[in-house]
Amino acid sequence: MIKRIKGTNDIIENAYIWEWVENKFRNVAEHFGFSEIRTPIFEATELFDRGVGKETDIVQKEMYTFEDKGGRSVTLRPEGTAPVMRAFVEYNLASKGLPQKFFYIGPMFRYERPQAGRLRQFHQYGIELIGSSLPIADVYTILVAIESLKAIGLENFKLKINSTGCEKCRPSYKEALKEYYKPLLDELCSDCKTRYNRNILRLLDCKRDAEYAKSAPNILDYLCDDCKVHFEELKSLLDKLNVEYEVDPSIVRGLDYYTRTVFEIKYPLLGAQDAIIGGGRYDNLVEELGGTSTPSVGFAAGMERIILALKTEEKIPSFQDVDLYIVAVGDDQRADVLKIAKELSKVLRVDVDLMGRKVKSQFKNASKGNARYVLVVGEDEVRSGLYTLKRMSDGTQMRLPIDEVVKTVKDS
Ligand code: HAM
């Protein structure tokens, strides 16, 4: 038997939940003025080397990179921001005016160790707000994130914010971190030992070495005046909007493009993989990709984790597969059943027997498929135009013309 690849999932019985969540997210993003962007699943490897950063775990260890038949190095996208910004530069979208606001939903690929809530093919819903350097853009982005979660009825999530400074103030902070961690090097986990030289900020969000991070220098004490003002304005806007948040200096994010504001939304009940949304400001990415400076901010939400969170809150909407199962009493009525199904499928979810079943087993099949109603189509019904409609929840039967059938099923 050929099985699915480790770290990937088939979405079979839950596809309707995905569709429901995606529609809600799409709706929120559109109502906040974002339009959909669909970029390719694979890109030139260089995009992520430059965009996400050569020293990040993603680029060092997690990319699905291969050479295509033309000898080009291509990579399955591990995230959505670099591709969106590549498109922004490639099509000179700045000429359409700023800000530009995009959202996306789709699969991403990272070669990570699979566990609950961590996959190798996972899905993100994300937004990118391109072109504003102001804290109000950060807050707008955070609002879209929170309203998206509220739209699916999720509670119990926590917003954490931090600033990672800018190219002016970050170097002195990195120096301070190096000083702090130097005497501890022998005790750090193997990942942190390599990160010490490559990506010192990531020592702060290591789960194994979290104790050391607690007493590490705090980035907020190292911010330059401009970054400080930005962070203060961000907090004051969040306060004015009554958005609850916690300032958490351990939020540093795993991608190199961030500047100033970073944030995560955690869902603590999920355990180890509890970040359901991650995002922040990335003011230098467009320049990095060859465009002119275009400060931007965005986030991405992990769909698998969000659906797990919904399940813990038992917030999945109940879903009936079929509104009306149309039963043919005899083979002579099969064509009539199809005719009725064709018409009613315009307004209801219908089902019919396609296996040549007898009446009794058509009824059984209807209950198995959770049909709310069954419509019986026999010789008499076809002649009189009055059909027997059975409500499956309590067995109530009525005889109605077709338009009344539709009304009854729709209104209940
Ligand atoms: P990220 O933090 O790498 O950020 O991913 C965002 C979210 O995707 C995470 O919080 C998590 O919910 C989900 N996620 C990440 N990796 C996995 C995985 N292996 N399995 C399941 N879910 C996962 C980014 O990707 C940035 N592009 C976000 C962004 C957009 N920043 C600015 N704009």
Side-chain angles (χ1 to χ4, degrees), residues 58 78-81 104 110 112 117-120 122 124 127-128 253 255 257-258 264 275-280 282 297-302 304-305:
I58 293 181
E79 61 101 50
T81 309
Y104 49 88
R110 293 183 196 174
E112 290 194 81
R118 191 163 69 192
L119 289 123
R120 290 181 174 170
F122 59 101
Q124 283 185 342
I127 70 164
E128 311 298 347
R253 316 277 299 120
L255 305 97
Y257 48 62
Y258 290 110
E264 283 187 354
I276 53 174
I277 287 187
Y282 48 94
V297 53
F299 73 78
E304 281 80 3
R305 292 183 194 178

